[in-house]
Amino acid sequence: MITALTHSLVSTPSTTVWSQSQSVKKENALVGIVVCLSIQEDVGLLDLASVGGAYLAKITDLWEKDSSNLEWLVGLRDDTKEIESRGIKIDVVGYQLLGSQLMLWGSGKMKGYLWREGELAMLGDSTTLVNGVKGEVRPHDMVLLANEQ
């Protein structure tokens, strides 16, 4: 049996960078997301925390409906495109742990790593996570999700 614990370390928000990590455990599924929003310069009226908070709220609503299927990933992709159309750079990775099966999907400069038996292996980066990766986790494995920040 796999028991999952989540921890997050995010950067201090500023007027040009905002990041957040969130996870929800429902029944036998754990779903989560790590998001980093950034802009090249402070444009004044654009509040990254508001944009990011609305993004996370919509994804959380999708999780509440049914976290066991991957429909929420479709919403993640659609909303990512909408945010990028506003001139905001978004780095995001979503994950789902269902039993021992792990699925990762990402966009932007995100990376996923697996720490297993003293070895660190890359699960995916910005070129592979866009199509999604999946695999099986074992007891005592650690999955690390990171962006370039």
Side-chain angles (χ1 to χ4, degrees), residues 89-120:
K89 180 176 176 264
I90 180 167
D91 300 317
V92 58
V93 65
Y95 62 90
Q96 176 185 38
L97 180 63
L98 187 57
S100 63
Q101 295 297 308
L102 176 69
M103 173 15 172
L104 299 175
W105 175 86
S107 176
K109 301 286 184 184
M110 297 299 285
K111 294 181 181 179
Y113 298 93
L114 174 68
W115 178 264
R116 178 180 284 165
E117 298 175 0
E119 298 287 327
L120 185 66

Side-chain angles (χ1 to χ4, degrees), residues 10-62:
V10 296
S11 65
T12 304
S14 71
T15 56
T16 58
V17 177
W18 178 89
S19 61
Q20 191 65 259
S21 172
Q22 191 168 350
S23 62
V24 174
K25 185 169 171 69
K26 275 183 77 175
E27 300 161 12
N28 63 341
L30 175 70
V31 293
I33 189 170
V34 179
V35 180
C36 180
L37 303 178
S38 60
I39 52 178
Q40 292 299 316
E41 59 187 52
D42 184 2
V43 293
L45 296 176
L46 185 59
D47 180 9
L48 292 177
S50 295
V51 174
Y55 180 73
L56 287 175
K58 185 169 183 182
I59 298 303
T60 302
D61 287 345
L62 290 170

